[in-house]
């Protein structure tokens, strides 16, 4: 049915979700040790740097690194904010990603 097997596109798509999964476990420890405010600020910084990298990307490597940073931001935000808030970031990011391509 669908035999599109571009591995760069697969890595581009899955990098955000894998980074968010791993970062949520790390953010749990950071949140316990440093509190919710610092953890949310870290999430914002990761998210902002990821957005800047994706906006300025000139090759696929920059896009993937930007997506990884976005995933870390989503993972951190997922630990300290309510689930709908983190899902909103994720849905907004996916909407922007697919409508800019």
């Amino acid at each position: 049915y669908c035999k599109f097997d571009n591995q760069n596109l697969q890595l581009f798509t899955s990098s955000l979700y894998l980074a968010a999964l791993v970062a949520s476990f790390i953010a749990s420890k950071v949140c316990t040790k440093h509190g919710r405010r610092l953890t949310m600020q870290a999430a914002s910084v990761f998210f902002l740097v990821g957005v800047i990298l994706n906006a300025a990307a000139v090759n696929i490597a920059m896009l993937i690194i930007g997506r990884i940073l976005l995933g870390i931001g989503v993972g951190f935000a997922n630990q300290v904010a309510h689930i709908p808030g983190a899902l909103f970031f994720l849905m907004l990011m996916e909407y922007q990603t697919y409508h800019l391509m």
Side-chain angles (χ1 to χ4, degrees), residues 24-97:
S24 65
F25 291 114
I26 296 168
S28 175
K29 303 286 185 193
V30 172
C31 190
T32 301
K33 186 173 182 179
H34 298 289
R36 293 178 67 202
R37 179 179 290 175
L38 186 65
T39 307
M40 186 56 101
Q41 289 173 347
S44 299
V45 168
F46 281 120
F47 199 81
L48 182 64
V49 172
V51 167
I52 291 170
L53 268 179
N54 277 337
V58 294
N59 56 23
I60 191 73
M62 280 182 74
L63 279 173
I64 292 171
I65 292 169
R67 291 274 292 190
I68 289 171
L69 290 173
L70 287 170
I72 293 171
V74 169
F76 269 62
N78 193 22
Q79 281 297 323
V80 296
H82 297 289
I83 296 296
L87 289 177
F88 172 75
F89 282 131
L90 186 61
M91 289 187 309
L92 178 66
M93 189 171 27
E94 287 300 314
Y95 175 81
Q96 290 173 347
T97 301

